[in-house]
Amino acid sequence: MVQLDSCTAAKTTPKDVGLKKLPTPPGGNSPKQRPSSRPPTPPKEIIDIRSNKPENSLKVQIAGMFLDMNVNTGEERALPTLLLYDAEGLKLFERITYLEEYYLTGAEISALNRWAENIAERIPDGGVLVELGSGNLRKVSILLQALSRSRKSITYYALDVSQPELERTLSQIPNTVHDNVTCLGLHGTYDDGLEWLSSNPVTKGKKKCILWLGSSIGNFDRDDAAAFLRNITDTAMNVGDMMLVGIDGCKKEDKVWTAYNDPHGVTREFELNGLKHANIMLGEEVFREEDWDYVGIWNKQEGRHEAYFVALKDVQIDAAKLGRADAGIVKIKKGERVKIERSYKFDKDEVRQIWEGAGLVEAAKWGCETGDYNLHLAYKPPFSFSLKSEQYAELTYPTVSDWHELWKAWDTVTLTMIPKSELLSKPIDLRNPCIFYFGHIPTFLDIHVARALGNKRLVPERYPRIFERGIDPDVEDPIKCHRHSEIPEQWPDLEEILAFVSKIRKRVEGLYEEGGERLAPRWGVSKTKKLKRALWMAFEHEAMHLETLLYMLLQAPWTRPPKEVVKPDWKAEEQKLQEQDLEYNPWVEIPEREITIGMDDLEAEDLDEVDRGERHFGWDNEKPKRSGIRVGKFMAKAAPISVGDYMDYLATTVKGDRDIEKLQVPATWTRNDTSIQEAKDADIKDRIRKSFSLKTLFGKPLPLTNAYALSLPAVASYDELTQCAKFIGGRIPTREEVQSIYEYKEAMHEDGGLGKKDARKISAVNGEMNAGGVQETPPLDFFVGFGKEARVGFCGWGWESVRGGMDGKEGVDVLRGRGETGGAWEWTSSVLERHAGFVEQREYPEYTADFFDTKHNVVLGGSWATHSRLAGRRTFVNWYQRNYRYTWCTARVVKDVE
């Protein structure tokens, strides 16, 4: 059921969507919420923010939606949903919200009662809270009271187009809301509210949290929901601002249908009242009550409830009465339906797509007892990377927008997470100090862009000597190391490096069309091809080092939390896992299949003047394409090794009175202050849980005593995880086996679900040519479209559960695919080595060849900090030393078929 407010009643939108409205119950207060005996609340200030912009009348909407159907596209006749919300409709709807069958209101109140303190914790002191559609305070007062108890200074604004409604709403504020929460009204439309938020000096510089409760987002289809929120994001939100959105995820047919078709007939009365309201708006009885009835339908395919008026007999309506004499007499046949509202339900993947389309990132969500209705806290991030292949790989080389987002990511990490006093620190002894990476990235970019164009470098003369190549020494013998830049006695000042960064970024921007995303057509064919490759290589190089810096910073005690990123709620995540078997991780049979590894990308073709069209680029280890590789049938665990699994394994290594303080744990763990003596009476597993936590980037570790921590992927070295795999009863898979798992998962969902293949075509430079020249190849399957379990591309700042939601499911339904391993790469047992046809990168010959030492193993997939372009390219390969403890890799367990 649509839940609108009077803000929307004064606004026309193409699809007639609006905001939340909760009227007072008829006859006074509900028995569930009795009035207090406190003195009357003093009148609250109401700010008039109305503009003089003309608005389309509801009468115009009636004519347009009812008459302008398109039979060619199957579009149904419709009436504006706002017709349901006149004074009588508001009273009827309030009665509905108290019905047991209408679960949405009760579920949202339940979520607020359970989690209001946690929500309030994330709203910053001095912040502004704006509710889109004031309505009854039955729900929001729960949050206001929690904020009051927090003693934070908060200003709450209730937005509504009706001043009487605002006066009524604000007068109901409980006396338990103290003076630290200032409550005000905004008198105006939705558009007025957004304009006020974006321009009013009162809110300037303050963090905002916009409330949109009641699952009003269900009034939108999938695309329009994202567009609606995107407008708010772009118009009224700054980086770090938040939205708290109520979203119904229930898709149980009986439950949903009953909610909108109650046995008491209140919903029917509410819907049919919309026709009475239409007649009032039109000035005469155009829709006779005896000609129509209400019908509600659950559309399983679309995941929505649909509400219609249905003609009880053949009906004729004079369009002139609707203000459209040109339309003549409209004939409605008996049984024909007229749409009045739709109520969408959103699953996890659909919610993720909404956030991406809206330019928001989900930080936390809080649910009711059943878990299918949640309050989602999303924020405007400092940067974002799309998980849609048509966006993260729009061109074969990075667009201007790609660069801008990557630079914002780089600046967020380098300039907000590393204190200046620690620039010379080395969070990991095997790596360079932090200052090196500040200079390494722009130096690499400048060298390769200048080389491609034959131009002079911008880089200061000494920078290549100290910044061109980093170090990656042998873990066992750090003296052994490939060729790298010299370590200076004194590094350049940060200000000097940042000035150079600004120059090279401006040079890169100047290579593109003004105001466009593509390279400017200034150079010959060969030089353009070289430039595209140089930009692609430098872009991916920077993206990889962004992740390197982050796994280094995880090891530093002085690392600051990322600025303008909202901290997740681990307690809420733990609550979701209650009554779930966190040890459940079934074996899945992976059938025999033939796979192809790698791609074709001839660098030599960059040197000629032949235009072969666009090409995808790859690193030397991705080439050439090797086809016809048979991978036999095997069994694989559906999800990777979890922290709980690894803890169970560690418990078996503790003998007798062995001191747990000597236990070597992964580098992603940290030891608690709790003494062993405090945990002495517990069993071995409990002693380990009480003794360790997981490191995070939010300044506070996640204790293993939190069940959510046990459900995360075990992130450790290959050597550590291979022993755990044996304990579980298997081994770590080969590179070919991991790819077979990915392809099997994708093949089972090619109908548009998880892992849907990218069917875009590119020029045949990576494929075949015909005698007539260049032809379009079949889909090259270079990039994946990530599914709902994907944890890559900074869609979250940390690992996530690889056990939640698996109970009772088997086979491919629980099998984790590419990028779905909880935000960590996957180790393989395959050693990084030369393969047939391998040729060193012409412009960067040491990229892979320096690591053919038999000590590095291939890893696939991606971590939460891996750019989508890397994690989503099927041919991309990463590698680490098997005993390197700092990498963000997990492992899956496989075994041969008996």
Side-chain angles (χ1 to χ4, degrees):
M1 182 167 299
V2 176
Q3 302 183 33
L4 306 177
D5 75 347
S6 49
C7 285
T8 313
K11 173 182 171 57
T12 302
T13 57
K15 295 196 177 181
D16 183 44
V17 290
L19 306 176
K20 164 80 181 137
K21 180 65 183 181
L22 280 178
T24 53
N29 294 275
S30 163
K32 299 181 182 178
Q33 186 174 346
R34 299 186 182 279
S36 68
S37 58
R38 65 179 175 85
T41 303
K44 305 293 184 182
E45 180 183 358
I46 295 175
I47 305 170
D48 190 345
I49 61 171
R50 291 173 296 174
S51 66
N52 296 318
K53 296 178 182 178
E55 298 283 351
N56 289 332
S57 70
L58 191 54
K59 183 176 180 179
V60 172
Q61 292 182 57
I62 293 171
M65 297 181 70
F66 189 78
L67 299 176
D68 295 340
M69 61 180 292
N70 189 335
V71 294
N72 295 325
T73 61
E75 187 175 350
E76 301 168 305
R77 294 191 188 278
L79 285 171
T81 303
L82 293 173
L83 289 173
L84 303 176
Y85 293 91
D86 63 350
E88 180 63 23
L90 294 174
K91 294 177 183 178
L92 289 167
F93 179 71
E94 182 67 3
R95 286 176 57 192
I96 290 171
T97 65
Y98 282 92
L99 295 176
E100 182 179 352
E101 293 82 4
Y102 190 75
Y103 63 87
L104 288 88
T105 302
E108 191 162 74
I109 290 174
S110 167
L112 283 165
N113 279 326
R114 296 174 83 203
W115 300 110
E117 306 293 337
N118 299 59
I119 298 171
E121 180 185 342
R122 280 152 183 81
I123 298 175
D125 192 10
V128 172
L129 204 62
V130 181
E131 185 176 11
L132 301 181
S134 58
N136 187 285
L137 285 178
R138 183 175 161 203
K139 291 185 290 186
V140 75
S141 64
I142 301 171
L143 178 56
L144 294 179
Q145 291 175 81
L147 287 164
S148 181
R149 290 189 294 271
S150 74
R151 305 310 301 170
K152 293 179 180 177
S153 177
I154 300 293
T155 305
Y156 165 73
Y157 292 95
L159 173 67
D160 204 296
V161 76
S162 168
Q163 182 156 337
E165 283 296 311
L166 283 171
E167 292 171 349
R168 180 186 64 81
T169 295
L170 295 172
S171 70
Q172 296 173 348
I173 293 172
N175 57 2
T176 50
V177 175
H178 300 293
D179 291 342
N180 60 301
V181 179
T182 303
C183 298
L184 303 167
L186 295 176
H187 183 198
T189 65
Y190 161 73
D191 283 340
D192 293 333
L194 293 186
E195 175 65 25
W196 183 85
L197 278 172
S198 63
S199 60
N200 193 282
V202 174
T203 61
K204 187 175 182 180
K206 295 184 178 181
K207 290 299 179 188
K208 298 185 289 290
C209 181
I210 298 172
L211 305 182
W212 198 29
L213 304 178
S215 196
S216 297
I217 196 171
N219 304 329
F220 297 81
D221 65 28
R222 313 300 179 198
D223 293 332
D224 285 349
F228 180 82
L229 292 177
R230 186 78 198 207
N231 184 37
I232 297 175
T233 305
D234 293 344
T235 305
M237 296 177 71
N238 298 318
V239 170
D241 286 346
M242 299 174 287
M243 284 196 73
L244 184 67
V245 184
I247 301 180
D248 184 17
C250 180
K251 292 189 178 183
K252 299 174 183 176
E253 180 175 355
D254 291 344
K255 183 176 180 179
V256 174
W257 188 86
T258 304
Y260 298 93
N261 300 270
D262 69 90
H264 316 287
V266 183
T267 303
R268 179 177 180 274
E269 184 181 356
F270 166 74
E271 300 284 350
L272 291 176
N273 180 70
L275 292 178
K276 296 178 182 179
H277 187 197
N279 291 333
I280 293 173
M281 296 300 300
L282 296 171
E284 58 182 302
E285 189 181 34
V286 178
F287 300 97
R288 298 194 307 167
E289 186 175 354
E290 61 268 24
D291 293 344
W292 301 90
D293 202 353
Y294 161 73
V295 61
I297 297 172
W298 169 249
N299 187 327
K300 182 177 181 180
Q301 182 176 353
E302 296 295 331
R304 70 190 182 205
H305 182 270
E306 302 170 351
Y308 297 95
F309 298 128
V310 60
L312 297 176
K313 62 181 182 180
D314 291 348
V315 177
Q316 294 188 4
I317 294 178
D318 185 354
K321 296 180 179 181
L322 303 180
R324 292 276 296 276
D326 59 307
I329 301 298
V330 179
K331 297 181 179 181
I332 308 295
K333 294 182 179 180
K334 179 181 178 180
E336 185 174 339
R337 301 182 307 196
V338 177
K339 180 182 69 176
I340 184 64
E341 66 173 347
R342 287 176 176 172
S343 300
Y344 283 81
K345 312 301 173 183
F346 300 89
D347 61 28
K348 182 177 179 180
D349 190 35
E350 290 162 344
V351 171
R352 180 186 65 76
Q353 292 182 43
I354 287 173
W355 298 144
E356 181 171 339
L360 298 169
V361 171
E362 182 172 291
K365 68 177 181 180
W366 299 278
C368 61
E369 284 86 350
T370 60
D372 50 14
Y373 190 101
N374 289 277
L375 296 167
H376 298 252
L377 185 68
Y379 66 97
K380 185 173 183 177
F383 61 91
S384 63
F385 302 136
S386 175
L387 298 187
K388 297 179 180 178
S389 56
E390 65 270 22
Q391 294 178 12
Y392 73 68
E394 179 182 355
L395 302 177
T396 58
Y397 57 92
T399 64
V400 172
S401 295
D402 290 337
W403 280 113
H404 287 167
E405 291 305 305
L406 181 59
W407 290 338
K408 285 188 282 187
W410 183 262
D411 291 347
T412 296
V413 173
T414 57
L415 301 181
T416 75
M417 298 180 69
I418 305 174
K420 287 186 177 181
S421 59
E422 301 295 342
L423 288 175
L424 299 181
S425 296
K426 297 170 65 175
I428 298 175
D429 286 339
L430 297 171
R431 315 293 308 194
N432 274 312
C434 295
I435 190 69
F436 168 81
Y437 298 92
F438 284 73
H440 175 53
I441 293 303
T443 298
F444 186 95
L445 173 59
D446 185 49
I447 288 173
H448 288 280
V449 168
R451 184 180 297 165
L453 295 177
N455 289 347
K456 183 180 179 181
R457 298 174 182 172
L458 296 176
V459 64
E461 184 178 350
R462 63 177 174 146
Y463 276 27
R465 296 197 306 271
I466 61 176
F467 284 134
E468 183 174 4
R469 289 207 70 194
I471 59 173
D472 192 0
D474 189 304
V475 174
E476 295 174 346
D477 185 2
I479 296 178
K480 296 180 181 179
C481 189
H482 56 72
R483 183 185 67 83
H484 58 82
S485 299
E486 65 184 51
I487 308 298
E489 293 185 5
Q490 183 174 352
W491 294 94
D493 291 336
L494 177 61
E495 290 70 22
E496 178 186 313
I497 296 174
L498 294 180
F500 168 52
V501 168
S502 179
K503 287 181 181 180
I504 185 58
R505 288 180 177 179
K506 287 180 180 178
R507 168 176 274 189
V508 169
E509 289 173 329
L511 300 173
Y512 289 78
E513 295 174 332
E514 185 174 353
E517 296 288 349
R518 296 175 179 269
L519 286 176
R522 301 184 198 141
W523 308 279
V525 172
S526 176
K527 191 170 286 188
T528 299
K529 289 189 289 186
K530 293 176 184 175
L531 181 57
K532 288 179 179 178
R533 185 181 296 277
L535 291 171
W536 160 82
M537 186 166 60
F539 182 90
E540 295 200 354
H541 173 264
E542 183 167 344
M544 286 186 271
H545 276 75
L546 179 67
E547 182 173 352
T548 299
L549 257 183
L550 283 167
Y551 79 64
M552 289 171 56
L553 293 179
L554 186 69
Q555 302 301 323
W558 41 257
T559 299
R560 294 171 175 165
K563 190 176 181 180
E564 310 295 7
V565 173
V566 180
K567 179 183 175 181
D569 190 337
W570 296 314
K571 290 182 180 179
E573 295 297 334
E574 180 183 36
Q575 188 75 22
K576 296 174 199 171
L577 296 175
Q578 284 191 349
E579 301 180 4
Q580 291 195 38
D581 182 2
L582 299 185
E583 295 182 0
Y584 181 69
N585 186 15
W587 291 99
V588 179
E589 182 177 295
I590 309 300
E592 180 181 3
R593 66 189 305 107
E594 184 176 290
I595 66 172
T596 296
I597 291 178
M599 60 182 290
D600 289 323
D601 168 28
L602 299 177
E603 286 186 83
E605 293 178 350
D606 293 352
L607 305 178
D608 60 39
E609 294 293 333
V610 179
D611 185 357
R612 298 177 178 84
E614 292 298 325
R615 68 170 70 200
H616 284 296
F617 303 110
W619 297 95
D620 51 15
N621 58 65
E622 298 177 65
K623 300 175 283 189
K625 181 187 295 184
R626 289 93 74 199
S627 303
I629 300 171
R630 301 295 300 181
V631 182
K633 182 169 62 175
F634 62 97
M635 303 295 292
K637 283 288 189 178
I641 298 169
S642 70
V643 171
D645 294 334
Y646 196 80
M647 186 185 68
D648 291 345
Y649 154 69
L650 283 180
T652 67
T653 67
V654 177
K655 306 297 182 182
D657 295 330
R658 179 180 177 181
D659 193 349
I660 291 180
E661 290 182 355
K662 297 179 181 178
L663 192 63
Q664 181 172 323
V665 297
T668 51
W669 294 24
T670 184
R671 193 175 297 276
N672 297 335
D673 293 334
T674 304
S675 69
I676 298 299
Q677 188 64 35
E678 292 179 52
K680 193 171 183 180
D681 294 334
D683 63 24
I684 294 298
K685 290 183 183 179
D686 283 343
R687 289 169 65 185
I688 294 174
R689 288 188 69 180
K690 293 177 180 179
S691 299
F692 297 98
S693 296
L694 301 181
K695 297 175 181 177
T696 77
L697 290 170
F698 290 96
K700 186 177 180 180
L702 172 58
L704 294 191
T705 51
N706 182 311
Y708 180 65
L710 301 182
S711 76
L712 301 178
V715 177
S717 70
Y718 177 87
D719 288 348
E720 290 168 317
L721 291 172
T722 194
Q723 296 302 317
C724 183
K726 291 178 181 178
F727 162 76
I728 292 172
R731 56 180 172 80
I732 294 178
T734 65
R735 171 191 179 169
E736 291 77 13
E737 287 172 328
V738 172
Q739 182 166 326
S740 182
I741 291 171
Y742 292 167
E743 293 191 9
Y744 174 58
K745 174 73 173 184
E746 292 162 9
M748 298 303 291
H749 293 82
E750 284 183 349
D751 59 349
L754 301 182
K756 184 179 179 182
K757 294 184 178 180
D758 183 353
R760 291 177 298 129
K761 297 179 180 179
I762 65 164
S763 128
V765 294
N766 300 104
E768 304 293 335
M769 292 183 63
N770 59 25
V774 177
Q775 65 179 5
E776 292 296 304
T777 66
L780 294 176
D781 295 340
F782 276 169
F783 301 102
V784 300
F786 292 106
K788 63 182 179 181
E789 303 296 344
R791 188 70 164 188
V792 296
F794 287 86
C795 59
W797 281 74
W799 302 290
E800 70 172 358
S801 175
V802 290
R803 290 293 192 270
M806 294 180 65
D807 274 4
K809 299 179 182 178
E810 297 180 353
V812 73
D813 289 336
V814 290
L815 184 66
R816 296 294 182 116
R818 186 187 304 271
E820 297 178 342
T821 49
W825 294 87
E826 281 200 70
W827 280 109
T828 78
S829 59
S830 298
V831 175
L832 180 71
E833 56 189 357
R834 288 181 181 271
H835 53 257
F838 174 86
V839 177
E840 285 85 353
Q841 198 104 1
R842 182 170 55 86
E843 297 298 338
Y844 192 177
E846 310 94 340
Y847 175 73
T848 308
D850 273 356
F851 304 96
F852 290 145
D853 54 10
T854 73
K855 295 186 176 184
H856 291 75
N857 274 29
V858 170
V859 300
L860 298 178
S863 83
W864 62 264
T866 306
H867 193 285
S868 314
R869 194 178 187 108
L870 301 173
R873 188 164 74 246
R874 299 175 189 278
T875 58
F876 185 78
V877 172
N878 200 357
W879 61 89
Y880 292 102
Q881 292 180 67
R882 290 186 291 276
N883 55 357
Y884 190 58
R885 302 179 59 241
Y886 307 104
T887 182
W888 289 350
C889 296
T890 187
R892 196 189 308 248
V893 180
V894 301
K895 65 180 180 180
D896 299 332
V897 175
E898 298 178 356

